[in-house]
Amino acid sequence: MADPTSYRPQTGEIPTNPGVYRFRDPHGRVIYVGKAKNLRSRLNTYFANPAGLLPKTHAMVHAASSVEWTVVGSELESLQLEYTWIKEFKPRFNVVFRDDKTYPYLAVTMGEKLPRVQVMRGERKKGTRYFGPYTAGAIRETMDTLLRVFPVRSCSAGVLKRAQASGRPCLLGYIDKCSAPCVGRVTPEEHRALAEDFCAFMGGEAKRFISRLEKDMAAAVAELDYERAARVRDDIAALRKVFERNAVVLAEDTDADVFALHEDELEAAVQVFHVRGGRVKGQRGWVVEKVEDATTPDLVEHLLQQVYGEDAETQGRLPREVLVPVEPSNAHDLAVWLGGLRGAKVDIRVPQRGDKAALMSTVRENAEHALRLHKTRRAGDLTVRSQALQELQEALELPVPLLRIECYDVSHVQGTNVVASMVVVEDGLPKKSDYRKFSITGAAATDDTAAMHDVLTRRFRHYLMDKTAQVEASQLESPEPVPGAEAAGPGSGPADASIADTTTAAPRSKFAYPPNLVVVDGGKPQVNAAARALAELGVDDVYVVGLAKRLEEVWLPDSDFPVILPRSSQGLYMLQRIRDEAHRFAISFHRQKRGKAMTVSALDSVPGLGESKRKALLAQFGSVRKIKAATAEELMTAKGVGPALAAAIVSHFTAGGAGGEADDAMPAINMTTGEVLET
C-alpha cells in the first residue's frame, strides 16, 4: 500500500477554484472521483492527517498512488463532470447504486421498421421506448391483455422472417393478437400507428382510448351490429382492467418519483415509487455499500445523479416532481441539471404532510424491508468469500491479498477448433465484463500446454503494452502550467476543462489490470507452461497455480508435489467454482465455433460471394433452392448483388459442379443439429 505523503501535492499548487479530482492506483486505474467547491480545502483533508481518516477513506488514500484534478467554471459544471467520470471509470471507492434485482420493462422497439412489443431486462437500447418497471407476472399479463386491443408484433426476428418467406403468419396472427404486417394484412405505416397508440396508452392516455372505444360501441349498437359491439365491449373491459390495476395514491395530475432510503453504518437501501397520473406505475430498489464517507444528503445527490443520468439518456422521461427524504447536497444545481435533461423545470422537494408524506412513509417501509432482506442474504456470503480468499492466501503462502484472480481453460475436440477462456473474479465475485475468449491456431493448437503458453503470452503482452503506454503518456505530460489556467496537479487543464481532459482517458483495454493470481485448468505441465510464459515476458508480480481435476490437487510452478487442500476448505471450493466457470465459458465458445464450422451451404463455394451478400440473398429469396432457380435479373434485386456477381452465381449453379446437381443430391445441413437448411 502506498504512503499518502509520497504523492501529496504541495498546498500552493492546488487551486482554490471549484473542480473535480481523481485518485489513481499504481496501475493508472481511477479509484475515486470527487468534486469540490474549493479544491485546495477538500484535498488537504485527505493528506493533513491520514491516520485520522475514517476506515474506508483511509483505505482509499493508501490504495492510491497519485491524485490529479481539473478546474471548472462553476459548481454545476463540477456536478456534470463528476457524474460523467463516475460513469466512465466506475471507481471502486465511489458510491454506486446497484439494483437489488433485475426489473423487467415493457419495451416497444420503435427504431425498427415493424416495431415489436416485448418484455426486456438489463441494458436499454437506443430507439426503444420503455415502460415500467413491473413485476414479472404483472407485466406479461398486461402485455397479453393489451395485444388484444393493440395487435402489435411481438414475435422474434426469426419468426418474422419465416412468416415473410412462407407467406403465412404465426399463431398470434391467427388468434388476432397480431395485425400480421409480415404478410401484408396491414401496411408498415398502419402497424407503426398501432405501436404509437400502444405507447400512448402506456404513457398515461388511457381515458382517451377508452372514450373512443365507448363511442365505437355506441355506433355499432345504433347500426344493430351487435357482434362488433360485443368485441369492442370486451376491448373496453381489457383496457379498464389494465388501467385500474394500479391504485390511485395522489391527485390524477401528479407525475412524481418518490424516493426513500434506510441506512446503517455500512450500507443503504433505496426504494422509489414511480407515480404517473396519480397511480403507482412501477417500483425499483437499490442497495449500496457505503465505500466513501458520505452523509445522507450526499447519498441522495449521488442517487439522483445515477438514476436520472442513465434514464435520461435512454428514455428522456423525467417527472415534474422528485420527492426525497432529505434535501440533497447542491440541491439548486442538481435541479438545474435535471431540468436540462428533462427540457422543463424539475422540482426536488421533501414532503412534510398530506398524501405525499404518507406515500413517502410507505416507500420508507419498503426500503427498511429491502435492507433487512439484503443483509440476511449477504451475511453468510460475505463471510464465506472472505474466509475462502484468506485460506487460499495462507495455503499458497502468497504475500499479497487475492483481490483479482484470473482462470484459464483450453477446449477442443481432438485438436480441432481450439479455443481458450479467461474468467475474472474480483473480491471473490465474478466480473463478467472482463471475461475474454481466445481462438488458437497454428503451432499453438498442437497440445494443451502450447495453447496455454500462447494464451498467457497474448494476455500479458497486452498488459505490458498498456503499462508502457501509461508510462509514456505520463512522461509526455508537460510540467509547465497551461497559460490562463490555475496551478494544478497532473492532468489539470484550463478553467473550461469540463469538456475534455486528455489525461483522463481510460486504459485501452481490460487487459491493462493484472491479476494477483492466475489459475490454470490442469496439472504440472500446464502450470509450468503458464509460468514460463510470464517469465519470458518479465512479469514477476503475478502468481500461478493449477487445479488438476483427478484429485483436485493444487500445483505450483516447478514443484514436485502438489498442495492438498482439505475437502471442506472454502478456498478449494472457490478454486473449483472458478475452474468450472472457465470450463463452461470455454465450452460455450468452442460449441459456437464448431457449429459455424459445421454449417455447410451451397452458397459457400460461390466465388466472390461473401457472408453479408449471402445473408442478403437468403433474406430476399428465403432459401438456397429459390436462389438456384432465380435468373440473373432476379438475383440483382438482392442488396449488394450486381450484374457480375449475379452472372457468377447463375454460372456456378448451372455448371453442374460443386454447387450444381451435386448440391441437389446433398442439401445443406447443420451438422450440429441435423437441420436441413435449404427447405
Side-chain angles (χ1 to χ4, degrees):
M1 299 180 70
D3 182 358
T5 60
S6 66
Y7 64 91
R8 176 179 181 174
Q10 295 295 323
T11 301
E13 296 177 349
I14 309 175
T16 57
N17 304 65
V20 181
Y21 56 91
R22 304 168 299 283
F23 283 87
R24 292 183 182 268
D25 65 10
H27 302 292
R29 178 162 41 179
V30 175
I31 61 173
Y32 184 73
V33 173
K35 68 179 186 303
K37 296 179 183 178
N38 185 318
L39 282 169
R40 180 183 298 176
S41 176
R42 175 62 61 84
L43 288 177
N44 279 338
T45 62
Y46 291 101
F47 299 102
N49 182 20
L53 295 172
L54 292 175
K56 289 174 180 175
T57 307
H58 182 275
M60 186 272 291
V61 298
H62 283 80
S65 63
S66 65
V67 62
E68 54 195 34
W69 56 85
T70 298
V71 176
V72 296
S74 66
E75 294 178 38
L76 178 59
E77 289 182 22
S78 69
L79 179 75
Q80 295 170 325
L81 187 58
E82 181 194 35
Y83 166 72
T84 301
W85 281 347
I86 289 176
K87 183 176 180 182
E88 177 182 356
F89 297 118
K90 298 180 175 59
R92 57 181 293 197
F93 285 98
N94 277 93
V95 167
V96 178
F97 290 87
R98 307 181 190 279
D99 283 345
D100 57 359
K101 58 179 73 66
T102 303
Y103 290 91
Y105 286 80
L106 193 58
V108 186
T109 58
M110 298 302 294
E112 297 183 12
K113 181 180 178 181
L114 298 176
R116 176 190 178 191
V117 175
Q118 59 183 316
V119 177
M120 295 185 70
R121 298 176 184 262
E123 189 173 342
R124 299 187 180 96
K125 300 177 181 178
K126 189 175 182 180
T128 299
R129 295 191 61 181
Y130 293 85
F131 303 94
Y134 300 94
T135 59
I139 192 171
R140 296 192 183 279
E141 184 179 349
T142 298
M143 176 177 164
D144 186 66
T145 303
L146 289 181
L147 288 180
R148 170 191 177 90
V149 184
F150 307 105
V152 182
R153 176 177 83 88
S154 59
C155 61
S156 66
V159 173
L160 176 67
K161 288 181 180 179
R162 285 197 294 271
Q164 290 173 329
S166 65
R168 298 191 304 272
C170 63
L171 176 62
L172 293 174
Y174 284 110
I175 63 175
D176 295 328
K177 286 197 173 180
C178 178
S179 55
C182 53
V183 295
R185 286 188 188 173
V186 296
T187 65
E189 292 73 22
E190 291 170 335
H191 182 264
R192 180 167 291 276
L194 279 174
E196 292 285 359
D197 287 346
F198 185 100
C199 293
F201 180 87
M202 292 300 299
E205 300 181 31
K207 290 185 177 180
R208 173 165 69 89
F209 291 99
I210 292 175
S211 299
R212 188 178 70 187
L213 289 177
E214 287 175 342
K215 293 178 181 178
D216 290 345
M217 183 175 68
V221 170
E223 297 171 3
L224 303 182
D225 189 350
Y226 296 114
E227 290 185 2
R228 183 164 69 89
R231 287 195 300 270
V232 176
R233 177 202 61 198
D234 293 341
D235 290 346
I236 294 172
L239 292 186
R240 282 179 174 163
K241 181 180 179 182
V242 173
F243 180 64
E244 295 172 358
R245 179 173 291 139
N246 297 316
V248 176
V249 292
L250 298 175
E252 290 194 0
D253 61 345
T254 301
D255 288 344
D257 285 347
V258 186
F259 291 89
L261 62 85
H262 183 70
E263 60 181 310
D264 59 19
E265 297 80 3
L266 300 176
E267 294 178 304
V270 180
Q271 291 282 312
V272 58
F273 282 9
H274 301 286
V275 179
R276 300 294 184 270
R279 300 172 183 267
V280 178
K281 292 293 187 180
Q283 173 190 6
R284 293 178 70 185
W286 299 266
V287 176
V288 60
E289 183 181 355
K290 296 164 72 173
V291 292
E292 60 176 293
D293 302 320
T295 62
T296 301
D298 292 334
L299 284 176
V300 174
E301 179 190 339
H302 289 309
L303 172 68
L304 299 185
Q305 272 184 297
Q306 294 181 35
V307 171
Y308 291 123
E310 294 175 0
D311 286 352
E313 292 170 4
T314 54
Q315 295 178 266
R317 300 175 61 83
L318 273 74
R320 291 193 297 268
E321 287 185 275
V322 176
L323 306 180
V324 292
V326 297
E327 188 173 274
S329 304
N330 299 321
H332 174 73
D333 291 332
L334 192 60
V336 172
W337 180 61
L338 293 178
L341 295 178
R342 181 173 181 260
K345 184 179 179 182
V346 175
D347 290 326
I348 302 176
R349 299 196 299 107
V350 180
Q352 302 293 336
R353 61 184 66 87
D355 292 339
K356 293 178 180 178
L359 182 59
M360 174 76 74
S361 177
T362 302
V363 182
R364 187 179 299 110
E365 289 180 10
N366 279 268
E368 292 175 8
H369 174 73
L371 186 60
R372 285 198 303 269
L373 183 61
H374 170 77
K375 285 190 172 294
T376 301
R377 291 175 174 175
R378 294 281 288 175
D381 182 49
L382 287 169
T383 302
V384 168
R385 283 194 285 116
S386 300
Q387 179 185 350
L389 293 172
Q390 184 68 26
E391 283 186 9
L392 272 180
Q393 184 181 350
E394 293 175 356
L396 301 176
E397 299 180 354
L398 301 179
V400 295
L402 302 178
L403 301 179
R404 180 181 171 108
I405 303 174
E406 294 179 0
C407 185
Y408 297 82
D409 184 32
V410 176
S411 180
H412 59 87
V413 173
Q414 295 181 350
T416 61
N417 299 312
V418 183
V419 300
S421 66
M422 174 186 114
V423 301
V424 179
V425 170
E426 287 192 354
D427 296 327
L429 293 174
K431 189 176 182 183
K432 294 193 175 183
S433 61
D434 282 8
Y435 285 16
R436 290 295 181 270
K437 299 179 287 190
F438 301 85
S439 291
I440 304 170
T441 58
T446 55
D447 59 62
D448 286 357
T449 56
M452 190 63 70
H453 181 278
D454 178 70
V455 169
L456 268 294
T457 299
R458 289 158 61 184
R459 184 264 181 267
F460 282 95
R461 186 182 293 128
H462 279 290
Y463 159 59
L464 294 176
M465 291 169 59
D466 285 317
K467 185 177 181 180
T468 302
Q470 290 281 340
V471 172
E472 291 176 350
S474 64
Q475 291 174 347
L476 289 174
E477 291 178 7
S478 173
E480 299 298 328
V482 178
E486 297 288 345
S492 64
D496 61 351
S498 61
I499 303 301
D501 184 353
T502 57
T503 68
T504 62
R508 293 186 302 170
S509 73
K510 298 297 175 97
F511 288 131
Y513 309 126
N516 304 109
L517 179 67
V518 165
V519 180
V520 299
D521 182 19
K524 187 175 180 179
Q526 287 81 6
V527 172
N528 289 338
R532 188 172 68 254
L534 296 182
E536 290 172 356
L537 293 172
V539 177
D540 56 4
D541 56 349
V542 176
Y543 301 90
V544 181
V545 299
L547 184 62
K549 289 188 180 72
R550 189 171 64 90
L551 297 175
E552 302 289 31
E553 66 264 26
V554 179
W555 285 91
L556 301 177
D558 301 321
S559 176
D560 294 330
F561 301 98
V563 176
I564 305 297
L565 296 177
R567 287 293 178 177
S568 59
S569 165
Q570 292 297 334
L572 178 60
Y573 291 161
M574 176 168 284
L575 283 181
Q576 289 172 330
R577 288 195 296 271
I578 298 171
R579 188 267 318 277
D580 293 344
E581 174 70 354
H583 185 63
R584 178 201 65 79
F585 196 49
I587 283 288
S588 299
F589 182 40
H590 170 73
R591 287 174 177 166
Q592 177 186 359
K593 189 173 182 181
R594 185 182 64 193
K596 288 182 179 179
M598 288 185 172
T599 301
V600 182
S601 171
L603 299 178
D604 293 344
S605 57
V606 178
L609 186 61
E611 181 180 356
S612 60
K613 292 179 181 177
R614 285 200 300 270
K615 290 181 179 179
L617 284 168
L618 289 171
Q620 180 75 16
F621 293 94
S623 69
V624 177
R625 192 177 302 278
K626 291 181 179 179
I627 295 173
K628 290 180 181 179
T631 64
E633 290 74 16
E634 292 171 337
L635 291 173
M636 286 191 294
T637 60
K639 182 179 179 181
V641 179
L645 182 57
I649 295 171
V650 172
S651 174
H652 179 78
F653 286 127
T654 57
E661 297 176 2
D663 285 320
D664 292 330
M666 184 178 294
I669 294 174
N670 184 322
M671 301 300 291
T672 304
T673 63
E675 178 187 4
V676 178
L677 300 178
E678 293 187 359
T679 58

